[in-house]
mmCIF file of all heavy atoms in Angstrom:
data_model
loop_
_atom_site.group_PDB
_atom_site.id
_atom_site.type_symbol
_atom_site.label_atom_id
_atom_site.label_comp_id
_atom_site.label_asym_id
_atom_site.label_seq_id
_atom_site.Cartn_x
_atom_site.Cartn_y
_atom_site.Cartn_z
ATOM 1 N N GLU V 592 88.254 77.777 151.215
ATOM 2 C CA GLU V 592 88.057 76.511 150.549
ATOM 3 C C GLU V 592 86.889 75.792 151.157
ATOM 4 O O GLU V 592 86.749 75.702 152.373
ATOM 5 C CB GLU V 592 89.339 75.704 150.690
ATOM 6 C CG GLU V 592 90.328 75.802 149.586
ATOM 7 C CD GLU V 592 91.527 74.836 149.731
ATOM 8 O OE1 GLU V 592 92.246 74.925 150.663
ATOM 9 O OE2 GLU V 592 91.566 73.924 148.896
ATOM 10 N N GLY V 593 86.078 75.202 150.271
ATOM 11 C CA GLY V 593 84.918 74.451 150.771
ATOM 12 C C GLY V 593 83.644 75.213 150.895
ATOM 13 O O GLY V 593 82.566 74.629 150.948
ATOM 14 N N GLU V 594 83.697 76.547 150.879
ATOM 15 C CA GLU V 594 82.491 77.388 150.960
ATOM 16 C C GLU V 594 81.807 77.417 149.647
ATOM 17 O O GLU V 594 82.395 77.211 148.517
ATOM 18 C CB GLU V 594 82.832 78.738 151.542
ATOM 19 C CG GLU V 594 83.275 78.731 153.014
ATOM 20 C CD GLU V 594 83.511 80.132 153.557
ATOM 21 O OE1 GLU V 594 83.814 81.009 152.780
ATOM 22 O OE2 GLU V 594 83.443 80.229 154.840
ATOM 23 N N ASP V 595 80.530 77.920 149.752
ATOM 24 C CA ASP V 595 79.736 78.065 148.449
ATOM 25 C C ASP V 595 79.533 79.453 148.072
ATOM 26 O O ASP V 595 79.755 80.349 148.913
ATOM 27 C CB ASP V 595 78.345 77.451 148.672
ATOM 28 C CG ASP V 595 78.379 75.978 149.141
ATOM 29 O OD1 ASP V 595 79.400 75.320 148.865
ATOM 30 O OD2 ASP V 595 77.390 75.503 149.695
ATOM 31 N N ALA V 596 79.270 79.722 146.833
ATOM 32 C CA ALA V 596 79.054 81.120 146.358
ATOM 33 C C ALA V 596 77.969 81.126 145.263
ATOM 34 O O ALA V 596 77.843 80.108 144.511
ATOM 35 C CB ALA V 596 80.337 81.717 145.861
ATOM 36 N N VAL V 597 77.346 82.260 145.148
ATOM 37 C CA VAL V 597 76.379 82.431 144.087
ATOM 38 C C VAL V 597 76.665 83.719 143.342
ATOM 39 O O VAL V 597 76.815 84.836 144.048
ATOM 40 C CB VAL V 597 74.891 82.481 144.589
ATOM 41 C CG1 VAL V 597 73.945 82.688 143.380
ATOM 42 C CG2 VAL V 597 74.547 81.205 145.325
ATOM 43 N N ILE V 598 76.735 83.737 142.070
ATOM 44 C CA ILE V 598 76.956 84.904 141.292
ATOM 45 C C ILE V 598 75.726 85.141 140.418
ATOM 46 O O ILE V 598 75.229 84.238 139.755
ATOM 47 C CB ILE V 598 78.231 84.783 140.404
ATOM 48 C CG1 ILE V 598 79.422 84.583 141.333
ATOM 49 C CG2 ILE V 598 78.405 86.025 139.604
ATOM 50 C CD1 ILE V 598 80.705 84.227 140.507
ATOM 51 N N ASN V 599 75.229 86.356 140.417
ATOM 52 C CA ASN V 599 73.965 86.664 139.732
ATOM 53 C C ASN V 599 74.264 87.548 138.503
ATOM 54 O O ASN V 599 75.202 88.403 138.546
ATOM 55 C CB ASN V 599 73.007 87.346 140.642
ATOM 56 C CG ASN V 599 72.611 86.499 141.840
ATOM 57 O OD1 ASN V 599 72.141 85.380 141.630
ATOM 58 N ND2 ASN V 599 72.926 86.926 143.013
ATOM 59 N N CYS V 600 73.442 87.425 137.503
ATOM 60 C CA CYS V 600 73.514 88.162 136.285
ATOM 61 C C CYS V 600 72.165 88.508 135.827
ATOM 62 O O CYS V 600 71.297 87.617 135.708
ATOM 63 C CB CYS V 600 74.249 87.287 135.221
ATOM 64 S SG CYS V 600 74.320 88.004 133.574
ATOM 65 N N SER V 601 71.876 89.788 135.654
ATOM 66 C CA SER V 601 70.535 90.215 135.263
ATOM 67 C C SER V 601 70.578 91.147 134.052
ATOM 68 O O SER V 601 71.523 91.960 133.992
ATOM 69 C CB SER V 601 69.759 90.842 136.411
ATOM 70 O OG SER V 601 70.437 91.971 136.861
ATOM 71 N N SER V 602 69.533 91.127 133.276
ATOM 72 C CA SER V 602 69.526 91.958 132.074
ATOM 73 C C SER V 602 68.220 92.641 131.985
ATOM 74 O O SER V 602 67.194 92.197 132.449
ATOM 75 C CB SER V 602 69.718 91.076 130.844
ATOM 76 O OG SER V 602 69.520 91.863 129.626
ATOM 77 N N SER V 603 68.257 93.802 131.332
ATOM 78 C CA SER V 603 67.039 94.633 131.188
ATOM 79 C C SER V 603 66.348 94.197 129.810
ATOM 80 O O SER V 603 65.262 94.627 129.523
ATOM 81 C CB SER V 603 67.319 96.078 131.137
ATOM 82 O OG SER V 603 68.284 96.399 130.146
#
Side-chain angles (χ1 to χ4, degrees):
Chain V
E592 268 187 293
E594 290 183 338
D595 303 339
V597 180
I598 300 172
N599 300 303
C600 174
S601 63
S602 173
S603 59

